[in-house]
Amino acid sequence: MLARTAPPEFIAVIGKPTTYTTKEGNVLISIRAESILVVDNATRDRWVAETANLTTKRLARLQGNEPDAVKAREHYNTDVEQYKAMVAMVVESMRAR
C-alpha cells in the first residue's frame, strides 16, 4: 500500500499498540499495522482539528486540582506550556491552509 502512495497523500494507519519495557526501564511503543488507508485532505483536517480540541481540553484538566490530575502531573511531569505551544502551532498551520 505505501509503495503505491504518492506524496502529499495522507494515510491513516490502524493497528494494535504493543509496549515493551527494556532492562533499563524505558518503555518502547510500536503499532502493528492492520490497515492502511489513503484519506482525503478534509478527513485529515477534521482529525487534526478534533485532536487539537481534545488535547486543549485534556491540558485544561491536567492543570486542575482533581486527584487524577495531580497524580498525572506527578507521574508524567508534563510541560503543559510546551503542549499548548504545539497545539497553537497546529491550529495556526490549519488556518494557513
Side-chain angles (χ1 to χ4, degrees):
M1 171 64 179
L2 289 177
R4 294 189 307 261
T5 61
E9 287 182 311
F10 298 110
I11 61 167
V13 179
I14 301 165
K16 292 186 179 174
T18 303
T19 60
Y20 172 75
T21 304
T22 66
K23 292 178 185 177
E24 297 79 23
N26 297 321
V27 177
L28 306 175
I29 302 170
S30 65
I31 298 174
R32 185 176 346 167
E34 295 179 342
S35 176
I36 299 176
L37 309 165
V38 174
V39 296
D40 60 23
N41 291 353
T43 300
R44 181 260 186 190
D45 290 350
R46 279 192 308 276
W47 287 346
V48 171
E50 180 179 4
T51 300
N53 181 41
L54 293 173
T55 300
T56 299
K57 289 179 180 179
R58 287 185 190 102
L59 291 172
R61 287 185 59 205
L62 184 61
Q63 291 180 299
N65 291 322
E66 297 173 13
D68 288 343
V70 173
K71 287 180 187 177
R73 283 195 307 269
E74 291 171 355
H75 182 76
Y76 293 108
N77 194 23
T78 302
D79 182 349
V80 172
E81 294 307 314
Q82 181 181 5
Y83 280 94
K84 283 182 178 181
M86 286 190 288
V87 171
M89 185 175 61
V90 166
V91 169
E92 185 58 35
S93 73
M94 296 290 290
R95 287 185 185 129
R97 291 173 35 115

